[in-house]
Amino acid sequence: MSLANYVLRRVVVTIPVLLGVTAITFSLLHVAPGDPIDVVTGFQNVDDDVEASLRAEYGLDRPVWEQYLVWVADVLTLEFGESPVTGRDVGATIAERLPYTLLLGGSAWLLSLLIGIPAGVVAAVKRGEPADEVSRIAALAGIATPNFWLGLVLLLVFGVHLGWFRVIPPDAPLLSLEMLWFMLLPTITLGTASAALVMRLLRSSMLRELNEGYVRTARAKGLRERTVIWKHVLRNSLIAVVTVAGLQITLLVDGAVVVEQVFSWPGMGRLLVDAIGRRDFPVVQASVLLIGVTVVVANLLVDITYSYLDPRIRYDR
Amino acid sequence: MALLEVEDLVVQFYTEDGTVRAVDGISYEIDRGETVALVGESGAGKSVTCLSLLRLLERPGEIVSGEIRFDGRDVLGLSDEELRDLRGNEIAMVFQDPSAALNPVYTVGEQIAEAIRAHEDVTDETARRRAIDLLERVEIPDAASRYSEYPHEFSGGMQQRVVIAMALSCEPDLLVCDEPTTALDVTIEAGILELLEDLAAEFDTAIQLVSHDLGVVAGLCDRVQVMYAGEIVERAPTEELYYDPKHPYTVGLMASIPRIGDDRDELPTIPGSMPDLVDVPTGCRFHPRCPYAEEACRLRAPSLVDVETGVPADEPAPNDHLAACHEYTDDLVDGLDYEVVVEDGGGLE
Ligand SMILES: Nc1ncnc2c1ncn2[C@@H]1O[C@H](COP(=O)(O)OP(=O)(O)OP(=O)(O)O)[C@@H](O)[C@H]1O
Ligand SMILES: [Mg+2]
């Protein structure tokens, strides 16, 4: 089977999963304590008439399955309705916040690969030597440090004491130099643990692969050691790492919730936390849905990368 | 000057149980175009010897002393760059398990073309065309389209053909084959051996063929060297070794080959097993298993001598018959006592 066929099949299989995500997201709020009407009415006792008309307005009087279908139909057209708390369009609110999270998460992810992969390769090749020991200790520290603490320390040292960074984001467009400079600390905060994980994982899978027969064949052919490692061994070792790197995307979303608070970063994480606090159901629903979809898409990308790296996978079944 | 000269090669592995002397002072040579077999039981040090030739040993293994000269050059003294130039280009290797020897994530064609590009300044297209050519030479049908297939799409026998194509890609002077058919089905074995024989003749390549199966060796090799516990215990032209084995270990090995028309239910095996290489027996290493062992065997290690004269040969000719047994220096009281029975077509009991 060609790679294109494989990708197509994976995409098709993803559709029911996405439907499942919408169903779970939708039902979450219906099993969660608290009635949306209370929020609208500001937790005051109101007339039954008023309440009934409010319910009708938000469609809360209709059967659950009908509410679900209406909601899915809206979601498919990217219509998330209006927040009963702020009165603003939910889609617009998210569109405002999403780029911040994507940029921060994306750069943290990139950082984790840019540091984790070379460090993992070096640690495996220099096994038992000082470089390996140093990276092992660094990785342990990286994994063990809670990211909110790391963020606070970085802010304190480089923001408050040294004054190299602002403590809150500058009032500048997202893609301005100022903003990107500010983003450095949150990126490090968010990317450190992932980098450490990728590094350790790659190291152990490289050590396994280095014992494989094809490595000896590659050397016996007279290839440069560089080619043996970076072409032959790395590609096989990455197969194990891709799964984790993909799942890291999910972790980065989680981490963003905390890190965005620490750095006052106006992304999805803070939006979600605020919305939960205010019982802003449509916003919570849309945010959770988005996170769910991100996870599904990340998994899809993992599968595709996986099959690109390892041709044997494409031929299964 | 022989193409390959190995002198007093010693290889050790440093393990938790102690230092393993996997190869203990072996010397031999291979001439241009010659086909030499290395036989012996599992653990005798055959693979380690092969890997040493290309300095492919990895930790915890190490070449401790000795010399390897190829075409007059000191292999152990080569720089990394010179070594890279030797590997694949002048000495190439075929490994035991072809499915492990090929990288699963690259096409077989790429793996052959890569070997060509590593040694010659050719365009990608030329390398590709030559790789296809090689696939045809090793009789892989539909070579052009199979070029872009992956190893797992090939059968074991076809994979080994690919490995052979890869090994021959730069027309090496010496092909080291470490049990090239052991991992394969017996029905495929003959085809691979025949291919090796034809190609070696065509490319005028010398072959060092490792096997623990004397039967495999018979058809292919000019000479045989028998290894036991890290040492060469006998060497002779193939036919002479078959009809007139001189070392009791070789006799034991021969008796355990099944032959056509053989109606024995169970083949005799040599009693006991190879000694632990951390703590080798005193004297002759084979004496604990040797039916003819005497006091002298326990005390002194025999040296490899000419079986006629009893004199160690410093520079043995290809046709010399040498064995490491006290019998040939007249140090045994009772002597060896076995009979070689040659049946029609050459058999032995
Ligand atoms: N990686 C290793 N670590 C420790 N000892 C090793 C290692 N590789 C080989 N040895 C030692 O070297 C000895 C010779 O091994 P070698 O692989 O050369 O045997 P062989 O003659 O090729 O046997 P086989 O027929 O099983 O392939 C073994 O008995 C083993 O004790
Ligand atoms: Mg072996």
Side-chain angles (χ1 to χ4, degrees):
Chain A
M1 190 192 315
S2 73
L3 189 58
N5 271 340
Y6 179 83
V7 170
L8 192 69
R9 209 178 57 188
R10 293 300 312 165
V11 170
V12 170
V13 170
T14 303
I15 292 170
V17 179
L18 283 174
L19 275 178
V21 170
T22 60
I24 291 171
T25 310
F26 180 79
S27 55
L28 267 183
L29 283 192
H30 284 261
V31 297
D35 190 328
I37 286 301
D38 290 339
V39 181
V40 180
T41 59
F43 296 91
Q44 308 288 316
N45 280 326
V46 290
D47 286 352
D48 286 355
D49 282 358
V50 178
E51 192 184 319
S53 71
L54 279 172
R55 278 187 190 282
E57 189 185 332
Y58 288 103
L60 293 167
D61 57 342
R62 283 183 273 171
V64 173
W65 64 267
E66 207 180 313
Q67 290 183 39
Y68 170 67
L69 287 183
V70 169
W71 181 71
V72 168
D74 285 348
V75 163
L76 285 178
T77 54
L78 294 180
E79 188 60 63
F80 296 98
E82 197 174 82
S83 157
V85 180
T86 61
R88 297 192 52 207
D89 183 59
V90 175
T93 310
I94 287 180
E96 211 169 78
R97 302 292 196 101
L98 192 60
Y100 283 84
T101 293
L102 286 183
L103 194 67
L104 178 57
S107 52
W109 189 68
L110 214 63
L111 179 84
S112 73
L113 297 185
L114 286 182
I115 291 179
I117 291 178
V121 170
V122 170
V125 172
K126 307 241 178 251
R127 176 186 199 178
E129 291 174 32
D132 183 25
E133 291 302 317
V134 168
S135 72
R136 189 174 61 87
I137 292 165
L140 223 87
I143 292 172
T145 311
N147 54 17
F148 72 90
W149 187 82
L150 179 61
L152 288 173
V153 168
L154 288 178
L155 259 189
L156 201 68
V157 174
F158 296 101
V160 179
H161 288 310
L162 294 174
W164 295 353
F165 294 91
R166 295 173 54 104
V167 178
I168 55 164
D171 190 11
L174 181 55
L175 287 176
S176 64
L177 216 60
E178 266 176 291
M179 196 57 126
L180 293 179
W181 175 248
F182 175 81
M183 219 176 66
L184 203 59
L185 290 186
T187 301
I188 293 171
T189 308
L190 199 52
T192 297
S194 296
L197 205 66
V198 167
M199 186 233 128
R200 293 303 291 174
L201 219 92
L202 184 60
R203 177 186 179 274
S204 68
S205 88
M206 289 254 320
L207 286 180
R208 214 174 28 247
E209 293 294 332
L210 278 168
N211 285 323
E212 293 290 329
Y214 67 79
V215 182
R216 187 170 274 173
T217 313
R219 289 193 179 125
K221 274 194 269 192
L223 301 185
R224 286 170 202 288
E225 190 60 17
R226 231 190 7 244
T227 313
V228 174
I229 299 294
W230 292 91
K231 176 174 175 182
H232 286 268
V233 183
L234 183 62
R235 176 135 171 204
N236 280 283
S237 312
L238 277 179
I239 293 167
V241 176
V242 162
T243 318
V244 171
L247 295 177
Q248 290 295 300
I249 296 177
T250 329
L251 271 186
L252 290 175
V253 173
D254 286 355
V257 173
V258 176
V259 174
E260 287 181 6
Q261 291 291 333
V262 173
F263 289 92
S264 319
W265 188 252
M268 292 294 297
R270 276 184 77 206
L271 179 68
L272 181 60
V273 173
D274 292 348
I276 290 172
R278 291 195 299 244
R279 295 244 142 76
D280 194 341
F281 288 140
V283 172
V284 174
Q285 221 163 25
S287 309
V288 170
L289 179 67
L290 208 62
I291 292 172
V293 170
T294 311
V295 173
V296 173
V297 171
N299 273 303
L300 179 66
L301 291 179
V302 165
D303 273 356
I304 291 172
T305 314
Y306 212 83
S307 71
Y308 163 74
L309 287 175
D310 189 349
R312 284 166 297 184
I313 295 176
R314 286 175 241 158
Y315 296 85
D316 277 348
R317 277 172 299 146
Chain B
M1 184 181 58
L3 178 67
L4 171 77
E5 294 168 314
V6 176
E7 211 177 301
D8 273 326
L9 182 71
V10 178
V11 179
Q12 294 185 340
F13 284 85
Y14 303 99
T15 69
E16 283 178 7
D17 301 330
T19 302
V20 175
R21 271 205 172 208
V23 172
D24 196 0
I26 64 171
S27 303
Y28 66 95
E29 68 297 311
I30 295 178
D31 284 330
R32 277 188 186 278
E34 204 185 12
T35 310
V36 176
L38 214 53
V39 301
E41 280 170 296
S42 189
K46 308 180 297 291
S47 297
V48 171
T49 304
C50 293
L51 293 173
S52 303
L53 299 185
L54 279 177
R55 280 171 54 193
L56 281 170
L57 287 169
E58 283 154 51
R59 283 185 299 180
E62 188 188 70
I63 296 175
V64 180
S65 63
E67 261 184 75
I68 298 171
R69 278 183 304 276
F70 187 79
D71 221 0
R73 273 168 302 157
D74 171 23
V75 173
L76 301 183
L78 294 181
S79 69
D80 285 356
E81 197 57 24
E82 289 166 330
L83 183 62
R84 209 179 61 70
D85 205 47
L86 179 82
R87 290 174 172 175
N89 199 12
E90 292 171 84
I91 307 181
M93 247 184 121
V94 173
F95 297 91
Q96 176 166 347
D97 182 357
S99 66
L102 293 168
N103 190 332
V105 303
Y106 290 103
T107 62
V108 297
E110 165 59 19
Q111 294 185 60
I112 298 171
E114 175 186 53
I116 300 170
R117 292 196 309 261
H119 295 290
E120 290 169 43
D121 198 11
V122 292
T123 62
D124 289 2
E125 186 44 39
T126 311
R128 184 192 153 85
R129 241 178 301 122
R130 276 186 41 193
I132 293 174
D133 213 47
L134 282 157
L135 287 173
E136 272 163 9
R137 300 272 280 271
V138 296
E139 293 157 25
I140 288 180
D142 225 354
S145 74
R146 302 216 77 179
Y147 175 96
S148 39
E149 288 186 8
Y150 292 91
H152 69 268
E153 296 172 80
F154 286 69
S155 68
M158 286 294 155
Q159 285 175 343
Q160 194 62 301
R161 285 168 190 266
V162 170
V163 173
I164 292 171
M166 197 187 320
L168 292 173
S169 61
C170 296
E171 310 203 352
D173 295 320
L174 174 64
L175 191 62
V176 178
C177 304
D178 189 357
E179 311 208 25
T181 57
T182 308
L184 304 177
D185 211 89
V186 279
T187 53
I188 299 164
E189 184 169 32
I192 297 282
L193 292 173
E194 203 173 302
L195 181 73
L196 273 176
E197 195 173 6
D198 291 350
L199 290 173
E202 191 183 328
F203 286 81
D204 193 28
T205 304
I207 293 187
Q208 170 172 316
L209 176 75
V210 165
S211 179
H212 56 243
D213 183 352
L214 278 167
V216 166
V217 165
L220 196 60
C221 298
D222 306 326
R223 261 189 320 117
V224 183
Q225 309 187 124
V226 181
M227 272 188 92
Y228 184 76
E231 296 179 331
I232 292 179
V233 295
E234 180 164 5
R235 56 170 274 181
T238 308
E239 205 157 301
E240 204 172 321
L241 189 95
Y242 274 71
Y243 290 120
D244 192 13
K246 293 296 190 189
H247 196 284
Y249 176 64
T250 314
V251 175
L253 271 188
M254 302 275 245
S256 55
I257 328 172
R259 285 157 201 275
I260 296 168
D262 200 330
D263 48 11
R264 289 172 298 176
D265 282 343
E266 225 165 80
L267 295 164
T269 50
I270 309 170
S273 58
M274 260 232 334
D276 179 1
L277 294 176
V278 175
D279 186 20
V280 288
T282 57
C284 172
R285 290 178 182 191
F286 187 59
H287 89 253
R289 299 171 73 185
C290 182
Y292 317 108
E294 297 181 6
E295 191 59 24
C297 306
R298 270 176 281 278
L299 297 176
R300 277 183 301 112
S303 43
L304 194 61
V305 297
D306 190 301
V307 294
E308 301 301 331
T309 62
V311 179
D314 278 340
E315 283 176 22
N319 280 331
D320 286 353
H321 193 160
L322 309 181
C325 179
H326 288 310
E327 167 75 359
Y328 306 104
T329 46
D330 292 324
D331 288 323
L332 292 188
V333 180
D334 294 332
L336 304 182
D337 174 30
Y338 56 84
E339 206 180 329
V340 176
V341 182
V342 179
E343 294 165 347
D344 45 11
L348 178 93
E349 302 242 336

